[in-house]
């Protein structure tokens, strides 16, 4: 078998292993056999003693497992951990760092290859192979071991978070087999909505979605078994009914497939194994997921194509049983903790409605992005949220206490008292600040030297309107029209759209409402209009989609124009514009819609039309665009992504997303200057406008309007009222001479403190790296 085949086999077996001990034992046996070495061992860094402990071996003395350990400064193993890179030696015993561990029996071995097991930059352990002969392991062997260690890292990190690893330095002797849980285990995602929450995990699942079902301890074994057997019988009845219905249309051999399904559900097959797992302590839904996953992995690994296809049958049966289990569970009252943090594989808006508002304090999505519908809804509701926490072992966290940091996109599982105290202080400060800012609602955003800065809001939901007006918004700088499209199973009609838009326009009249035309693609998709591309952010999105589908664009524009009749506060904004041709074609379509409606007797007027500057190409055409349109608006989030080549919704690189990068600031300054040369209003909607320090910079650059999430508006207003335009311009001059994003951000925080506005800076979060 090829190394790739062996690796695939190891990954499948590791995924099916019931616990970490089995994973480690299986891994060393597999590697030792496939690499034809005499020894394979795994050392893990113990959380309490901070020593590398021998946790599994094939080839050394098995009695040394759990007994032998090295400090990070001892031995070649310690050196691998220190350097965080592989060490490949022809004769380990001749290396200056070598330490002889008598109880292991390793004195006979010479060749040594050790690779670090690293998760998110943290060394968790060392994977080692050894051989009798003196030789250097070749590049393919080293690459293979590095790949295996990368797979192991995620498994070990999950085990630490869920309490599967027992640190040897703790006193476990008093309670045999007690699990000692690793505290402050951190998982990184991307910020979805700002704020901090400390609470108890509730794992949300989509109907009949096996992958998202969590493990829960069984409370009433008899009840769970009865529920499972009831669901099983219901599925059997469903299959028999379908079989009877199709009996006249199928050949006998085809109808026999239903008999195969029924046999799979027999007690000595899938059903019996699920019942065993329930008796072992897992609830029915979790036991079902475990057994189905195990069968799916086994069938998927088979060489025979017919048998491989049975994996699909097993998963289908599992979903059917789960659907009936969830239906019966739905009749039972659900009890939520007072501080519930909803965690799901992929958050959906319907999940949010399942938990009472007074108990929901935070949201976590394993997949999804900061621009997903759930994240937008969370920001609108002011619920701290983290998205894209891809490594979080969420199915094993039901009922666990976690800290959610919506500012940095971090999750801490099993937080220590010190960490809870630090974040608790941040939460108290936030509450005090929010209470103090409520008094600013009816006051203007005017600097100490009399400069007035209009503050608008970004909206997308009906609930945003009331919240925005409560906080003193003077207009809508971005209404995301795609959200009503995302909440439906088909394109909304012209009449439906007109009714939705009318509510926004009426609520804010006579204040201006800027409606962005349908902006789908990238990370915003419609279930009934899928866009499947390898690189969606550089693909078919924004104005490109709607100009290719004028029937969609015209219906939407007509709906906007009809909704604005008698109000005349509509502004239309075109997203993702890159060239003049797009502006001219879109303007032509808008003119056509105006003519058609006027001919139909609808008294519409052509509203102001503007563009969003979101791509670097548009930056350098700002002045030309300004001659052709009525206003310019900058989408700073997308613009920063494209300038920095960083997808901020990808947790792997989200740390590189820097809105205060000097290149981003220069681009923003250039846009404001170019628009002003043509005396066109220039606004900005993005995270920087919602940050008090960023708002001062943008005001100094010459932006006419700042648009932001309603929850951030009071802070920004407070910053503007506490500063002068002259001081903001002096701050901008200093910033434009700097060349480091973090240094710029720190200068903004320090400047706000000097102005007496330190309470508006982002909380200084605990550095728990």
């Amino acid at each position: 078998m090829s190394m790739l085949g062996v690796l695939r086999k190891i990954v499948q077996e590791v995924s099916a292993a019931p616990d970490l001990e089995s994973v480690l034992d299986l891994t060393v046996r597999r590697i030792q056999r496939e690499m034809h070495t005499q020894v394979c061992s795994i050392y893990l860094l113990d959380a309490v003693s901070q020593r590398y402990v021998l946790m599994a071996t094939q080839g050394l003395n098995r009695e040394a497992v759990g007994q032998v350990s090295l400090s990070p400064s001892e031995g070649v193993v310690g050196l691998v951990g220190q350097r965080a890179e592989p060490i490949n030696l022809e004769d380990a015993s001749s290396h200056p760092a070598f330490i002889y561990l008598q109880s292991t029996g390793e004195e006979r071995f010479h060749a040594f290859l050790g690779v670090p097991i690293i998760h998110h930059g943290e060394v968790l352990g060392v994977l080692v192979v050894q051989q009798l002969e003196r030789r250097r392991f070749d590049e393919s062997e080293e690459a293979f071991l590095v790949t295996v260690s990368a797979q192991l890292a995620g498994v070990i990190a999950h085990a630490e978070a869920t309490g599967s690893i027992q640190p040897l330095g703790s006193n476990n002797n008093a309670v045999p087999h007690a699990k000692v849980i690793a505290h402050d285990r951190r998982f990184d995602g991307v910020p979805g909505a700002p704020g901090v929450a400390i609470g108890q995990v509730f794992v949300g699942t989509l109907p009949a979605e096996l992958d998202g079902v969590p493990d829960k301890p069984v409370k009433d074994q008899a009840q769970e078994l009865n529920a499972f057997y009831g669901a099983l019988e219901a599925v059997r009845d469903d299959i028999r009914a379908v079989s009877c219905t199709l009996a006249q249309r199928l050949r006998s051999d085809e109808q026999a497939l239903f008999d195969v399904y029924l046999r799979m559900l027999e007690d000595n097959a899938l059903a019996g194994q699920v019942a065993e797992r329930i008796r072992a302590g897992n609830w029915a839904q979790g036991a079902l997921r475990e057994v189905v996953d195990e069968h799916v992995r086994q069938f998927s690994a088979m060489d025979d194509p017919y048998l491989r296809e049975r994996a699909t049958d097993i998963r289908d049966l599992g979903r059917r049983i789960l659907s009936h289990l969830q239906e019966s569970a739905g009749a039972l009252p659900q009890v939520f903790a007072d501080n519930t943090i909803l965690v799901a594989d992929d958050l959906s808006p319907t999940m949010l409605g399942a938990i009472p508002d007074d108990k929901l304090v935070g949201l976590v999505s394993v997949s999804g992005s900061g621009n997903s519908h759930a994240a937008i809804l969370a920001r609108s509701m002011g619920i701290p949220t983290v998205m894209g926490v891809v490594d979080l072992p969420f199915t094993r966290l039901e009922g666990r206490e976690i800290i959610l940091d919506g500012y940095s996109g971090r999750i801490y599982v099993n937080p220590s008292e010190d960490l809870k105290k630090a974040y608790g202080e941040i939460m108290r400060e936030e509450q005090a600040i929010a209470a103090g800012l409520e008094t600013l609602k009816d006051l203007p955003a005017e600097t100490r030297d009399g400069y007035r800065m209009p503050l608008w809001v970004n909206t997308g939901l009906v609930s945003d309107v009331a919240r925005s007006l409560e906080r003193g918004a003077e207009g809508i700088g971005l209404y995301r029209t795609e959200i009503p499209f995302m909440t439906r199973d088909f394109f909304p009609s012209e009449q439906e759209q007109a009714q939705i838009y009318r509510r926004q326009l009426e609520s804010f009249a006579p204040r201006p409402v800027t409606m962005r035309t349908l902006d789908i693609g990238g990370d915003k998709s419609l279930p009934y209009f899928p866009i499947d591309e390898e690189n969606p952010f550089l693909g078919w999105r924004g104005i490109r989609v709607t100009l290719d589908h004028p029937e969609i664009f015209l219906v939407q524009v007509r709906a906007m124009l009809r909704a604005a009749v008698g109000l005349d506060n509509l502004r239309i904004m075109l997203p993702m514009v890159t060239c003049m041709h797009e502006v001219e074609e879109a303007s032509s379509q808008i003119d056509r819609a105006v003519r058609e409606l006027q001919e139909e007797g609808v008294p519409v007027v052509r509203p102001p039309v503007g563009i969003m500057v979101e791509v670097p190409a548009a930056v350098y055409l700002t002045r030309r665009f300004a001659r052709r349109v009525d206003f310019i608006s900058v989408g700073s989030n997308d613009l920063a992504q494209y300038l920095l080549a960083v997808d901020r919704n990808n947790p792997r690189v989200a740390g590189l997303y820097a809105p205060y990068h000097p290149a981003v600031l220069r681009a923003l300054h250039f846009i404001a200057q170019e628009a002003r040369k043509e005396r066109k209003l220039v606004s900005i909607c993005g995270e920087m406008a919602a940050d008090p320090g960023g708002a001062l910079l943008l005001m100094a650059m010459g932006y006419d309007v700042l648009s932001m999430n309603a929850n951030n508006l009071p802070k920004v207003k407070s910053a503007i009222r506490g500063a002068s335009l002259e001081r903001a311009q002096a701050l901008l001059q200093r910033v434009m001479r700097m060349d480091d994003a973090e240094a710029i951000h720190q200068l903004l925080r320090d400047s706000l403190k000097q102005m007496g506005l330190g309470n508006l800076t982002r909380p200084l979060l605990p550095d728990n790296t």
Side-chain angles (χ1 to χ4, degrees):
M1 189 183 292
S2 67
M3 281 293 191
L4 183 60
V6 171
L7 180 61
R8 189 179 292 119
K9 196 81 172 173
I10 290 175
V11 170
Q12 289 171 345
E13 291 176 346
V14 161
S15 301
D19 52 45
L20 183 67
E21 185 178 348
S22 303
V23 166
L24 301 182
D25 188 56
L26 183 152
T27 302
V28 295
R29 285 191 287 107
R30 265 285 183 184
I31 293 174
Q32 188 253 6
R33 183 167 75 244
E34 300 299 340
M35 289 186 67
H36 307 293
T37 64
Q38 279 80 45
V39 175
C40 180
S41 306
I42 294 175
Y43 296 80
L44 295 187
L45 186 62
D46 178 58
V48 175
S49 66
Q50 285 297 298
R51 294 176 67 84
Y52 288 103
V53 182
L54 179 64
M55 296 295 287
T57 187
Q58 186 71 12
L60 296 182
N61 181 4
R62 297 296 291 269
E63 293 180 3
V65 172
Q67 305 301 316
V68 168
S69 66
L70 292 158
S71 79
S73 60
E74 289 181 327
V76 184
V77 168
L79 191 61
V80 174
Q82 270 188 344
R83 292 183 178 178
E85 63 183 18
I87 293 180
N88 190 348
L89 302 173
E90 185 176 329
D91 184 8
S93 61
S94 63
H95 192 279
F98 178 78
I99 289 180
Y100 169 53
L101 299 171
Q102 186 174 2
S103 61
T104 63
E106 68 174 345
E107 67 275 9
R108 299 173 293 130
F109 304 105
H110 297 282
F112 174 99
L113 172 59
V115 300
I117 302 169
I118 299 175
H119 186 260
H120 286 328
E122 180 185 352
V123 177
L124 304 180
V126 177
L127 176 59
V128 175
V129 289
Q130 294 171 274
Q131 232 169 328
L132 287 169
E133 62 182 297
R134 288 180 171 85
R135 77 172 186 96
R136 286 182 66 85
F137 290 91
D138 63 36
E139 289 182 3
S140 65
E141 291 172 312
E142 186 172 320
F144 172 74
L145 210 61
V146 167
T147 308
V148 174
S149 75
Q151 295 290 334
L152 264 179
V155 176
I156 294 167
H158 286 193
E160 287 187 351
T162 55
S164 299
I165 295 179
Q166 300 181 32
L168 297 182
S170 56
N171 183 16
N172 282 2
N173 297 326
V175 185
H177 310 297
K179 286 184 178 179
V180 178
I181 297 172
H183 288 291
D184 299 343
R185 168 54 63 186
R186 191 183 100 193
F187 294 89
D188 293 333
V190 294
V196 168
I198 302 174
Q200 188 173 318
V201 169
F202 173 79
V203 179
T205 57
L206 291 169
E209 185 60 55
L210 276 165
D211 292 338
V213 172
D215 289 328
K216 289 184 184 180
V218 66
K219 294 179 180 178
D220 187 330
Q221 194 176 98
Q223 182 178 307
E224 290 295 314
L225 284 168
N226 287 337
F228 172 65
Y229 286 126
L232 207 61
E233 193 54 43
V235 172
R236 288 193 185 107
D237 290 344
D238 291 345
I239 293 170
R240 291 188 191 108
V242 173
S243 179
C244 289
T245 303
L246 299 178
Q248 302 301 317
R249 297 165 57 186
L250 296 177
R251 299 194 308 268
S252 59
D253 58 334
E254 291 170 334
Q255 199 169 354
L257 290 173
F258 292 104
D259 296 329
V260 173
Y261 265 40
L262 290 170
R263 282 197 297 273
M264 286 179 180
L265 297 175
E266 291 174 358
D267 282 345
N268 60 349
L270 185 143
Q273 292 177 29
V274 174
E276 284 179 21
R277 300 290 174 98
I278 294 172
R279 293 188 185 99
N282 205 351
W283 69 319
Q285 294 184 34
L288 176 68
R289 189 207 73 236
E290 285 183 331
V291 172
V292 169
D293 283 352
E294 203 169 285
H295 281 267
V296 167
R297 279 192 293 266
Q298 289 171 357
F299 278 111
S300 298
M302 291 178 179
D303 296 327
D304 184 278
Y306 174 81
L307 291 175
R308 273 203 309 272
E309 285 301 313
R310 301 291 68 76
T312 304
D313 296 338
I314 292 286
R315 185 161 282 279
D316 179 54
L317 281 174
R319 288 197 189 101
R320 289 171 182 270
I321 298 169
L322 178 62
S323 180
H324 285 284
L325 279 172
Q326 290 176 333
E327 192 176 318
S328 63
L332 300 173
Q334 179 68 59
V335 179
F336 296 99
D338 287 338
N339 295 313
T340 294
I341 295 178
L342 174 61
V343 179
D345 182 27
D346 194 0
L347 275 176
S348 71
T350 53
M351 288 181 186
L352 274 62
I355 301 175
D357 289 347
D358 60 336
K359 294 184 182 293
L360 182 63
V361 298
L363 301 169
V364 179
S365 186
V366 174
S367 53
S369 71
N371 282 330
S372 71
H373 188 197
I376 292 168
L377 183 60
R379 286 196 289 273
S380 171
M381 296 169 69
I383 302 174
T385 303
V386 175
M387 308 290 291
V389 198
V390 292
D391 292 324
L392 188 71
F394 70 104
T395 60
R396 298 181 179 180
L397 296 183
E398 179 76 24
R400 289 285 178 86
E401 187 177 35
I402 65 171
I403 291 176
L404 183 161
D405 181 347
Y407 294 106
S408 65
R410 294 174 180 173
I411 300 296
Y412 294 95
V413 177
N414 306 314
S416 62
E417 288 301 319
D418 287 345
L419 197 62
K420 284 195 288 185
K421 183 178 178 181
Y423 272 102
E425 187 61 36
I426 290 171
M427 291 170 67
R428 283 188 288 276
E429 287 176 8
E430 285 182 334
Q431 290 163 1
I433 292 167
L437 293 177
E438 286 180 5
T439 59
L440 297 178
K441 174 193 168 184
D442 298 320
L443 299 175
E446 187 174 304
T447 63
R448 292 181 179 275
D449 49 1
Y451 183 78
R452 182 75 180 268
M453 186 77 238
L455 301 183
W456 295 4
V457 287
N458 305 331
T459 68
L461 301 161
V462 175
S463 57
D464 290 336
V465 174
R467 191 176 292 107
S468 301
L469 293 172
E470 285 170 7
R471 285 162 174 75
E474 300 171 62
I476 294 179
L478 168 63
Y479 171 62
R480 302 179 178 93
T481 63
E482 61 272 9
I483 291 181
F485 284 75
M486 293 165 70
T487 57
R488 284 166 168 72
D489 296 325
F490 45 80
F491 284 109
S493 67
E494 182 178 323
Q495 184 60 31
E496 285 178 307
Q497 291 185 59
Q499 290 172 351
I500 294 167
Y501 303 153
R502 182 75 180 183
R503 285 197 291 270
Q504 293 277 333
L505 292 161
E506 275 185 335
S507 299
F508 264 82
R511 304 175 188 86
V513 174
T514 311
M515 295 195 167
R516 180 175 67 188
T517 59
L518 185 61
D519 186 16
I520 56 173
D523 61 349
K524 290 173 285 187
S525 61
L526 304 178
Y528 49 88
F529 191 73
I531 300 174
D532 186 16
E533 297 179 302
E534 287 188 11
N535 197 341
F537 283 98
L538 298 181
W540 202 43
R541 62 172 299 197
I543 196 70
R544 299 169 184 176
V545 176
T546 48
L547 289 183
D548 282 350
H549 282 275
E551 76 282 6
I552 297 174
F553 187 71
L554 273 171
V555 167
Q556 183 176 41
V557 171
R558 283 173 58 94
M560 290 178 181
L561 294 170
R562 287 175 55 197
V565 170
L567 299 174
D568 297 331
N569 60 337
L570 170 67
R571 305 190 331 152
I572 295 178
M573 185 163 66
L574 309 173
M576 284 295 295
V577 170
T578 57
C579 62
M580 290 300 298
H581 170 71
E582 291 168 335
V583 175
E584 289 164 359
E585 189 175 346
S587 296
S588 175
Q589 297 278 17
I590 292 169
D591 290 337
R592 174 184 164 184
V594 171
R595 282 196 311 273
E596 287 178 356
L597 287 169
Q598 288 174 342
E599 289 168 3
E600 293 169 18
V602 183
V604 299
V605 294
R606 191 185 196 278
V609 176
I611 65 152
M612 290 194 80
V613 176
E614 301 174 89
V615 297
V619 173
Y620 299 104
L621 294 176
T622 298
R623 191 169 183 184
R624 294 188 185 184
F625 284 136
R627 292 172 186 152
R628 183 68 180 81
V629 298
D630 300 303
F631 64 90
I632 299 288
S633 181
V634 181
S636 63
N637 296 346
D638 269 333
L639 180 59
Q641 285 192 116
Y642 287 124
L643 283 170
L644 302 175
V646 171
D647 176 6
R648 68 197 180 101
N649 296 317
N650 179 350
R652 308 282 186 207
V653 296
L656 300 175
Y657 177 79
Y660 292 106
H661 191 287
V664 175
L665 294 178
R666 288 180 185 279
L668 293 175
H669 197 190
F670 178 80
I671 293 165
Q673 290 176 320
E674 292 291 282
R676 283 187 156 246
K677 288 175 184 176
E678 297 300 322
R679 296 180 179 174
K680 292 292 172 70
L681 185 140
V682 58
S683 62
I684 184 167
C685 46
E687 288 180 3
M688 193 182 297
D691 179 64
L696 295 181
L697 289 184
L698 294 168
M699 178 178 70
M701 288 179 185
Y703 280 87
D704 298 298
V705 173
L706 305 181
S707 188
M708 65 207 69
N709 186 286
N711 291 314
N712 294 88
L713 193 148
K715 278 189 177 183
V716 171
K717 182 183 284 189
S718 180
I720 289 168
R721 289 180 59 81
S724 67
L725 178 61
E726 182 182 4
R727 190 158 183 180
Q729 289 170 335
L731 178 61
L732 176 65
Q733 289 177 4
R734 285 188 65 187
V735 164
M736 297 305 283
R737 291 194 295 268
M738 299 172 70
D739 55 12
D740 180 74
E742 186 49 47
I744 291 171
H745 205 177
Q746 186 59 52
L747 174 64
L748 294 179
R749 289 192 288 262
D750 292 343
S751 298
L752 285 170
K753 288 175 184 175
Q754 290 168 11
M755 296 178 201
L757 303 170
N759 63 328
L760 302 179
T761 60
R762 198 179 92 167
L764 186 61
L765 305 169
D767 183 13
N768 195 278
T769 55

